[in-house]
Amino acid sequence: MSTNLLSYCSVNPASEELIQSYSSANSSQINSCLSLAHKAQPDWARTTIDHRLLLLEKFKNLLIIHQQELARLITLEMGKLFTSAIAEVSSAVRMCDFLLLQAEEILVAESRYLPEKSFNKIIKEAYGVTFNITPWNYPVWLPLRSALPALIAGNAVVLKPAPNVAGCALRVQELIWEAGFPKELFSVLLLVNHDAEILISDDRIAKIIFTGSLQTGQRLASLAGQQIKPITLELGGSDPFIVLADADLEVTAQLAADARCRNAGQVCCSAKRFLIDQNVYLEFSKYFLKAMSEKRPGDPFNADSSYGPLARVDIAKKLEQQIALAIKEGATEVLPARQISQRGFYYSPGIFNDPFGQASISKEEVFGPVAVLHQFQNLDQAVEIANSSPYGLAASIFTQSAQDADYFVSRLAVGMVGINKTISGDAFLPFGGYKKSGYGRESGKEGLLEYVQTKTIVH
């Protein structure tokens, strides 16, 4: 494994100033962390659910007390609007609420009906030590979305955060420990990618949870498969936003612009492709152009800013490459997206028209405030275009017809559908996708059950 490496650097994307550098964990630290977690987990799994939930209640209260502090750290490290960062911490509080209200009922042992009326019991047991690999775009919510259910289900958690948001992860760790969770049960490890891959083959790791890019997910799934280890994958999306002719076009266009620019477009489940009925395409386009043109990127601590900077320089460079390729492939710029500041990774909103859906930008996940417009002639064609992406995370449908909405719900190859609203994660509901958006679920009952395996007892 690696020696100490300065690979974790928090850089303020609004100013490009270094906030702090961190040393990656060395071999001795990694081994100690895994050994302690592996040793402590069985005793933790034998504690009562009431005890675990008592600690969770204390942690929830700490989240509320430190909400402003955490939100400020989120904004400094990855550029999210401060108001959105406040909401992100609230999402973590809501996860606590979900677990406090429903975890005991979900995790309780059960029995099944058998014609012979023989005794049976099905219990749910923790996996052991889970390895949770989380991204940078929601640096408090996403680590806690996976870590809290894992802990409450009786697991120990080793968390690898993204390299640019280590400060958020380490502060979350401090609050979890302050709430009374044993330190051995929750550890943040700052790992280089090579060491993260080695952990997957370590016998002390029983389950992997990954949220991130398709390419990395494919690599990790392959490694987990070689070890016959379960893995939950959330790999992003290229979500369609479908507008039927009977929608309120002006209101819908504003919702579309809000969705595309949320978190500077850096959201896996945000609308990215906009499919418009050809009979209202021109009218919708006019409203959408106006709504997008009015979006003002700026200082994320300024209440007047529509969104903040992109989170890292490499994300900005990738967006530039996607835009250049889209133009080369024949997509038309309706509203040019450009870097707008010499300092900070700020991008103006952009719109492409890709009528035939052939440009790469119509298939890929685009992390930036850039939208792609398509037209459709009928509902079948809209479904075909919507399902043409290799991803299948979420979709939104805007119509006044319940019948048309149901038509799409039953035909879209996605894990989540919003009707006259866009999708965002909720602690009480399962989150996840179809196809190359991954498999398994986070949040809700289904998400909690990802952290247990069942044991059947009969006699």
Side-chain angles (χ1 to χ4, degrees):
M1 291 187 179
S2 68
T3 56
N4 263 12
L5 298 171
L6 285 173
S7 60
Y8 275 72
C9 294
S10 296
V11 175
N12 185 336
S15 65
E16 302 184 44
E17 295 175 349
L18 177 66
I19 299 171
Q20 190 168 348
S21 294
Y22 304 86
S23 295
S24 297
N26 60 34
S27 299
S28 175
Q29 291 167 331
I30 294 169
N31 185 62
S32 175
C33 170
L34 288 182
S35 294
L36 290 170
H38 188 253
K39 183 178 179 181
Q41 185 274 327
D43 287 340
W44 174 248
R46 284 188 284 269
T47 61
T48 66
I49 187 70
D50 287 345
H51 174 68
R52 294 178 226 157
L53 293 176
L54 178 63
L55 300 182
L56 181 65
E57 182 75 53
K58 293 178 180 178
F59 178 68
K60 172 191 168 180
N61 292 334
L62 288 171
L63 282 178
I64 294 170
I65 292 168
H66 294 280
Q67 184 177 36
Q68 296 275 329
E69 173 204 344
L70 288 168
R72 177 175 172 79
L73 186 55
I74 291 168
T75 298
L76 287 173
E77 284 203 308
M78 63 78 50
K80 188 191 304 279
L81 290 181
F82 182 68
T83 52
S84 298
I86 290 284
E88 178 178 339
V89 182
S90 294
S91 293
V93 172
R94 188 166 170 84
M95 175 56 79
C96 295
D97 288 336
F98 161 71
L99 293 168
L100 289 166
L101 287 169
Q102 296 188 21
E104 185 171 7
E105 180 181 351
I106 294 168
L107 296 175
V108 71
E110 58 183 293
S111 60
R112 302 279 172 86
Y113 169 78
L114 295 175
E116 300 81 7
K117 295 184 169 46
S118 60
F119 173 84
N120 69 86
K121 188 177 184 181
I122 301 165
I123 61 176
K124 305 177 181 79
E125 294 187 332
Y127 276 99
V129 181
T130 69
F131 183 29
N132 302 30
I133 306 171
T134 58
W136 46 265
N137 55 338
Y138 287 85
V140 168
W141 160 236
L142 292 184
L144 290 175
R145 184 180 73 175
S146 64
L148 292 180
L151 287 168
I152 296 307
N155 300 279
V157 174
V158 173
L159 176 73
K160 178 197 178 300
N164 59 317
V165 290
C168 288
L170 292 169
R171 186 65 182 119
V172 164
Q173 177 178 255
E174 290 174 352
L175 294 178
I176 285 178
W177 291 352
E178 185 178 341
F181 287 92
K183 291 184 177 182
E184 299 84 357
L185 293 174
F186 182 84
S187 301
V188 172
L189 274 183
L190 306 185
L191 299 170
V192 296
N193 290 340
H194 174 69
D195 286 350
E197 292 185 0
I198 289 175
L199 252 66
I200 291 176
S201 63
D202 192 296
D203 288 340
R204 291 167 293 188
I205 295 293
K207 162 100 184 192
I208 303 101
I209 302 91
F210 173 75
T211 299
S213 72
L214 170 60
Q215 293 74 22
T216 303
Q218 289 172 321
R219 170 70 177 163
L220 297 182
S222 175
L223 294 171
Q226 293 171 30
Q227 301 297 321
I228 320 297
K229 289 185 181 180
I231 183 169
T232 298
L233 297 171
E234 198 270 276
L235 305 179
S238 182
D239 296 356
F241 184 109
I242 304 167
V243 182
L244 275 59
D246 62 352
D248 185 324
L249 299 181
E250 186 173 7
V251 171
T252 302
Q254 185 61 60
L255 290 172
D258 293 344
R260 184 72 291 258
C261 294
R262 179 162 57 106
N263 203 23
Q266 303 167 117
V267 183
C268 56
C269 66
S270 72
K272 299 178 179 73
R273 298 178 292 142
F274 298 82
L275 285 54
I276 317 302
D277 186 303
Q278 65 177 4
N279 296 305
V280 295
Y281 180 81
L282 291 178
E283 185 179 0
F284 177 86
S285 297
K286 179 186 68 175
Y287 288 129
F288 187 54
L289 175 60
K290 179 177 183 293
M292 287 287 280
S293 299
E294 290 173 350
K295 293 295 183 182
R296 296 286 181 265
D299 180 355
F301 287 104
N302 188 332
D304 294 330
S305 299
S306 301
Y307 59 88
L310 299 181
R312 295 194 312 245
V313 64
D314 60 305
I315 297 165
K317 288 180 178 178
K318 181 178 180 180
L319 182 62
E320 286 180 354
Q321 294 168 355
Q322 289 177 307
I323 290 170
L325 182 58
I327 295 170
K328 184 178 180 180
E329 292 175 335
T332 305
E333 281 187 298
V334 179
L335 179 66
R338 298 289 184 268
Q339 189 165 359
I340 60 173
S341 173
Q342 295 297 316
R343 192 167 185 82
F345 312 130
Y346 290 99
Y347 258 80
S348 64
I351 304 174
F352 277 93
N353 181 14
D354 184 23
F356 303 107
Q358 297 303 308
S360 300
I361 202 169
S362 297
K363 312 289 185 184
E364 300 173 343
E365 181 169 57
V366 178
F367 258 36
V370 177
V372 185
L373 296 178
H374 308 280
Q375 300 182 48
F376 62 83
Q377 296 177 351
N378 51 54
L379 302 189
D380 285 339
Q381 187 182 40
V383 170
E384 181 181 356
I385 297 171
N387 287 339
S388 66
S389 168
Y391 294 104
L393 188 56
S396 300
I397 306 148
F398 289 81
T399 178
Q400 296 180 41
S401 167
Q403 182 178 354
D404 287 345
D406 288 342
Y407 177 90
F408 280 100
V409 167
S410 64
R411 289 167 174 80
L412 291 173
V414 297
M416 301 172 286
V417 179
I419 300 174
N420 294 317
K421 67 180 300 182
T422 54
I423 292 292
S424 59
D426 188 301
F428 283 77
L429 298 173
F431 185 100
Y434 291 3
K435 302 192 294 185
K436 291 187 177 179
S437 286
Y439 45 79
R441 293 294 181 266
E442 296 276 16
S443 299
K445 175 181 177 180
E446 293 76 7
L448 179 56
L449 291 175
E450 291 281 337
Y451 296 96
V452 293
Q453 46 197 343
T454 56
K455 179 179 287 183
T456 302
I457 302 103
V458 294
H459 66 72

